[in-house]
Amino acid sequence: MWCRTKTRSRKTDCYDLRGRRNAFLMCVKKNRPGSDRDVVLMNQWLSQCQFEYTSCIDPDKKELLEKLTSFRDGLNEIKDEISCCLVTLMSHGEKGSLKIRDDERVSLEEIFEMFNNKNCPALKEKPKIFIIQACRGERRDSGVETDDEPMDLDDISEKKRLPTFSDYFIIYPTQADHVALRHPRTGSVMIEAMTEIYQQHGNKWHIVDFFTKVNNKVVHTEFFLREEPIKVSLVMESTLTRFVYF
């Protein structure tokens, strides 16, 4: 799909996603009521977005890192075929880390580094998307009342160079140091909103605009934790250099 902009659309404005789209889906289900629903919704969404995906359920640290390494190495083996990569990680968490089986910690930065331009050359100038569904701390935001109704650098080398970390898009379900929300029946707030927005609008938006729409839904929905109001806002980090349309 070509970019949709106010000016004339140009092929070079978008990443070329005509090649294979590979995804990795990890979910810790233990002591996370609603996570089964998250897996179902993510499987549907990945299929709708034409991703081939590898699942990793309830791993320990060693298994997770081994499977991620194998997934990454597999991408490097099909360098000319792959067009993008998407990694979804759903678990308990804290600042900068995932908490997985047996309360082991896995650094998110370590995972991100596995797919950078040095370690995964197959993804140079190709989108690397990370969907993180995990708490980032213990803080809770009860929200505030409003009046609204509820709801030129000159070339110095002939050889092309890239930053080590480029073409990344990372979405978090909450602000730094804050909890994420998950319902025991309907699953995680962000995952549910993602699938609802996609069902309503399909792939009409660039991924940043898509998650902006998802965030709008999340921000303007009322949530309660132990009968106390609680609010969350998604956080996006991006080093993308083109538009991403699935």
Side-chain angles (χ1 to χ4, degrees):
M1 179 178 295
W2 303 139
C3 306
R4 293 175 171 82
T5 62
K6 292 182 179 179
T7 58
R8 183 172 60 90
S9 297
R10 295 185 300 153
K11 181 178 178 180
T12 54
D13 289 337
C14 294
Y15 290 99
D16 183 354
L17 300 188
R18 290 175 294 179
R20 293 174 60 176
R21 305 174 183 184
N22 284 27
F24 184 92
L25 172 63
M26 186 281 286
C27 182
V28 173
K29 294 183 177 181
K30 185 178 180 180
N31 298 324
R32 297 184 67 245
S35 57
D36 284 324
R37 177 66 174 163
D38 287 345
V39 172
V40 170
L41 292 177
M42 281 304 305
N43 286 343
Q44 292 175 352
W45 187 76
L46 289 170
S47 296
Q48 290 168 344
C49 294
Q50 301 175 44
F51 278 92
E52 305 170 36
Y53 57 89
T54 299
S55 295
C56 180
I57 306 299
D58 283 326
D60 59 20
K61 180 176 181 178
K62 182 175 181 290
E63 181 184 0
L64 174 59
L65 293 179
E66 286 179 349
K67 288 193 172 182
L68 277 169
T69 300
S70 176
F71 175 74
R72 187 272 316 276
D73 292 346
L75 298 179
N76 284 328
E77 292 174 1
I78 56 170
K79 178 178 179 180
D80 296 332
E81 301 175 33
I82 194 71
S83 67
C84 71
C85 162
L86 187 149
V87 176
T88 300
L89 304 169
M90 302 187 290
S91 71
H92 292 296
E94 58 189 16
K95 187 174 183 179
S97 299
L98 301 174
K99 291 194 293 185
I100 53 176
R101 203 171 80 193
D102 301 324
D103 211 31
E104 292 179 304
R105 267 65 170 175
V106 179
S107 165
L108 284 170
E109 194 61 34
E110 180 180 356
I111 294 175
F112 298 155
E113 285 182 357
M114 293 174 67
F115 296 87
N116 67 25
N117 292 328
K118 178 181 178 181
N119 295 321
C120 193
L123 292 177
K124 284 182 179 178
E125 298 188 273
K126 298 173 184 178
K128 297 165 273 287
I129 299 160
F130 292 83
I131 298 174
I132 311 299
Q133 178 56 55
C135 289
R136 304 179 72 192
E138 300 295 331
R139 295 178 60 184
R140 298 175 181 177
D141 182 0
S142 60
V144 296
E145 294 184 0
T146 70
D147 293 331
D148 297 331
E149 296 183 2
M151 248 332 319
D152 292 60
L153 294 173
D154 294 330
D155 291 335
I156 59 176
S157 171
E158 293 184 1
K159 187 174 180 179
K160 184 175 181 179
R161 296 183 63 85
L162 292 170
T164 303
F165 288 88
S166 62
D167 304 288
Y168 275 75
F169 178 84
I170 304 168
I171 181 77
Y172 294 98
T174 188
Q175 302 171 71
D177 303 318
H178 284 67
V179 298
L181 298 183
R182 173 174 34 82
H183 190 278
R185 181 174 54 83
T186 58
S188 299
V189 164
M190 180 176 72
I191 303 300
E192 182 183 30
M194 280 173 51
T195 55
E196 288 183 8
I197 295 299
Y198 193 87
Q199 287 171 359
Q200 293 172 12
H201 303 284
N203 59 354
K204 65 182 291 186
W205 289 310
H206 166 43
I207 192 168
V208 175
D209 297 326
F210 171 74
F211 276 104
T212 299
K213 190 73 174 177
V214 174
N215 192 38
N216 179 276
K217 178 176 179 60
V218 170
V219 165
H220 293 100
T221 301
E222 301 304 315
F223 302 108
F224 294 87
L225 184 62
R226 300 185 184 93
E227 299 184 355
E228 293 293 328
I230 186 168
K231 302 296 294 184
V232 291
S233 178
L234 311 188
V235 176
M236 291 178 269
E237 296 179 2
S238 176
T239 59
L240 295 177
T241 58
R242 297 188 177 103
F243 300 111
V244 179
Y245 288 94
F246 289 137

